[in-house]
């Protein structure tokens, strides 16, 4: 929500406490939206900063997930250590954030709690040469996680160019057989709507 910021001073200034009035105001603005929302933010909690995804339904905070696997450049954040499960409209789901998807134990921790779906918000903004090498690999690694865990995997990735970097996405849904069943075209903004078999 505040962008992906890993500079200690600026990250601290942008961070939100989930119990603070500022975040409660955000929840109030989201109260008319019927869909369940999962979105990322920089969270401040007890003097520590987290790369966090929150789950919100009709303006109510259902809970949050804190990224457990941090990249070397993410030293400003404290890693999370829990994999909460959410049950909304009879769909049980968990969350992994971006780099978490490179580790089978992160998806497995969600699957072992009886979830059917794993949601993966991502920011794959990379230098051009790196992004070009990786643009078709994200779905490959996520497909491996889907097959290993037996979960549907829904990824939502940023896209576009900024400051000499580019992100192709992808925003995609992968079934438990590792097949991409729906995807927004690379480098395009968009949304997918797909029914899953729970």
């Amino acid at each position: 929500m505040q962008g992906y910021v890993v500079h200690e001073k600026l990250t601290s200034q942008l961070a939100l406490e989930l119990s603070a009035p500022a975040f409660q105001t955000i929840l109030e603005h989201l109260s008319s939206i019927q869909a369940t929302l999962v979105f990322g933010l920089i969270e401040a909690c007890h003097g520590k900063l987290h790369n966090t995804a929150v789950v919100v339904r009709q303006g109510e905070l259902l809970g949050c997930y804190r990224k457990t696997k941090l990249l070397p450049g993410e030293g400003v954040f404290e890693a999370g250590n829990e994999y909460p499960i959410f049950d909304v409209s009879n769909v049980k789901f968990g969350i992994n954030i971006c780099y978490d998807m490179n580790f089978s134990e992160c998806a497995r921790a969600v699957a072992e709690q009886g979830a059917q779906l794993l949601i993966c918000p991502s920011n794959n903004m990379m230098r051009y040469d790196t992004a070009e090498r990786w643009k078709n690999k994200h779905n490959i690694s996520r497909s491996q996680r889907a097959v290993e865990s037996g979960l549907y995997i829904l990824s939502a990735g940023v896209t576009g160019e900024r400051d000499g970097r580019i992100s192709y996405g992808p925003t995609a849904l992968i079934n438990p057989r590792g097949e991409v069943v729906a995807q927004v075209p690379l480098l395009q903004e968009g949304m997918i709507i797909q029914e899953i078999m729970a």
Side-chain angles (χ1 to χ4, degrees):
M1 190 168 65
Q2 305 98 320
Y4 179 65
V5 182
V6 291
H7 304 291
E8 189 166 357
K9 185 176 180 182
L10 183 56
T11 305
S12 297
Q13 290 172 352
L14 293 171
L16 285 170
E17 292 185 22
L18 300 185
S19 60
F23 188 67
Q24 298 308 308
T25 299
I26 292 168
L27 292 177
E28 289 170 16
H29 287 295
L30 299 174
S31 62
S32 63
I33 298 174
Q34 298 297 309
T36 301
L37 305 174
V38 178
F39 59 91
L41 52 79
I42 300 168
E43 179 197 3
C45 184
H46 303 301
K48 296 178 180 176
L49 300 175
H50 300 276
N51 183 338
T52 297
V54 294
V55 180
V56 174
R57 185 169 175 84
Q58 295 178 291
E60 178 187 354
L61 176 65
L62 302 184
C64 69
Y65 166 76
R66 294 169 176 155
K67 186 177 181 182
T68 59
K69 303 294 185 182
L70 301 176
L71 289 158
E74 294 181 307
V76 67
F77 296 119
E78 180 82 13
N81 57 13
E82 297 179 349
Y83 296 89
I85 298 298
F86 305 90
D87 192 340
V88 178
S89 301
N90 296 317
V91 176
K92 292 180 75 172
F93 66 90
I95 303 168
N96 282 187
I97 296 175
C98 204
Y99 187 58
D100 290 333
M101 291 298 298
N102 291 308
F103 301 88
S104 57
E105 62 265 28
C106 297
R108 187 169 56 246
V110 171
E112 287 175 347
Q113 297 180 75
Q116 299 121 335
L117 174 67
L118 179 59
I119 295 175
C120 178
S122 295
N123 184 340
N124 294 315
M125 191 69 65
M126 302 173 180
R127 290 184 176 85
Y128 289 99
D129 57 337
T130 305
E132 187 65 28
R133 286 197 312 273
W134 270 92
K135 74 177 181 182
N136 295 314
K137 293 181 181 179
H138 297 295
N139 278 347
I140 292 171
S141 63
R142 292 170 187 164
S143 292
Q144 290 174 323
R145 298 292 88 81
V147 170
E148 293 166 357
S149 65
L151 296 167
Y152 280 89
I153 295 181
L154 176 62
S155 66
V158 300
T159 190
E161 298 180 67
R162 187 185 73 233
D163 301 329
R165 294 175 177 259
I166 189 169
S167 178
Y168 291 97
T171 292
L173 179 69
I174 299 171
N175 70 21
R177 294 185 299 277
E179 302 162 337
V180 177
V181 295
Q183 179 172 314
V184 174
L186 297 181
L187 265 186
Q188 291 186 28
E189 296 178 11
M191 177 173 62
I192 57 176
I193 299 174
Q194 183 72 38
E195 202 168 315
I196 66 170
M197 301 299 292

